Amino acid sequence: MLAVPLAVFAFAYGSAVVTGLTLQKRAVDFFDPAQGGGSIFDNATFGGEPLNVIISWQSSPDVLTDDGILNFARAIGFSQECLGLHLGDPQTANLGDGNGSVNQTVEFRQDFGNDFLGTCLESLVGGNHFRVFRQNGPQANSGALFLAVSKEQPASQNHDIVPDGYNIGRDELVAGAVGTKSFGGVTYNVVAKNITGLMPAGSDGVNHGIAVDGIVTLLTVTIQ
């Protein structure tokens, strides 16, 4: 059984039991970044982008690795950026885990059914994309993946977020993920749960002033 400091008990999402001076983690999905001095928004150019999807620590361990999240992303219609190139600076986030503000781990774009060149089309005409941040610091080492999902406009519109693009991007990703999905010989079963109270609703401090509805969707991804 995994032990974590008692100080993080207040922001564990899931069930847990206190034994002596430590918290025995039984079914922790993630830790609330705000309780560790972090934020459920990342740091973008004109405010923060919502970390509106979380892949639970209760998912199969292989899903939470760098190679695992790439394969899962491909299973749900996303892949690496066009020819491996990224334009602009990476966004950062503080997940309240003791690591402070760190760069995104990776970014994936909608691939339109072609995991090799499809993301080049997304870069041109717009579509869905998400950034990945891993909660693995010494104060809150859940291993959960926090995703900043949004739907963006084409390159001709500087890849700005479409109206209501954070909610739309989240909903489209979740709709495409729930159920049974497969890629590269790996089959996933995905269950979604909406969480309220973790993210404030509204546009205050949100990138481009685009309002969010305050819902974060938790995905539990199990390899069959």
Side-chain angles (χ1 to χ4, degrees), residues 60 62-63 68 71-72 75 180-189 221-224:
S60 296
D62 285 350
V63 174
N71 197 77
F72 176 66
T180 302
K181 308 294 174 181
S182 299
F183 187 88
V186 182
T187 299
Y188 306 94
N189 182 65
V221 184
T222 305
I223 296 176
Q224 296 185 342

Side-chain angles (χ1 to χ4, degrees), residues 70-198:
L70 169 59
N71 197 77
F72 176 66
R74 286 173 168 167
I76 63 172
F78 295 81
S79 195
Q80 294 165 305
E81 295 190 272
C82 178
L83 303 177
L85 300 176
H86 176 72
L87 299 178
D89 295 330
Q91 293 182 7
T92 64
N94 182 346
L95 299 182
D97 59 2
N99 282 338
S101 188
V102 298
N103 286 344
Q104 63 196 45
T105 300
V106 67
E107 184 171 346
F108 297 110
R109 295 184 181 277
Q110 188 174 357
D111 65 16
F112 298 99
N114 185 324
D115 63 284
F116 180 59
L117 291 175
T119 56
C120 297
L121 179 60
E122 193 280 340
S123 293
L124 180 63
V125 304
N128 216 359
H129 75 308
F130 66 94
R131 307 169 194 272
V132 180
F133 300 89
R134 180 176 285 113
Q135 189 177 57
N136 63 353
Q139 295 178 14
N141 186 12
S142 72
L145 302 180
F146 287 64
L147 314 184
V149 190
S150 58
K151 190 166 186 176
E152 63 183 2
Q153 296 179 353
S156 61
Q157 300 295 318
N158 301 312
H159 286 163
D160 287 345
I161 307 302
V162 303
D164 200 30
Y166 298 120
N167 296 332
I168 292 172
R170 176 202 61 212
D171 291 347
E172 289 189 357
L173 182 147
V174 171
V178 169
T180 302
K181 308 294 174 181
S182 299
F183 187 88
V186 182
T187 299
Y188 306 94
N189 182 65
V190 184
V191 177
K193 177 180 180 179
N194 286 339
I195 299 170
T196 57
L198 190 66

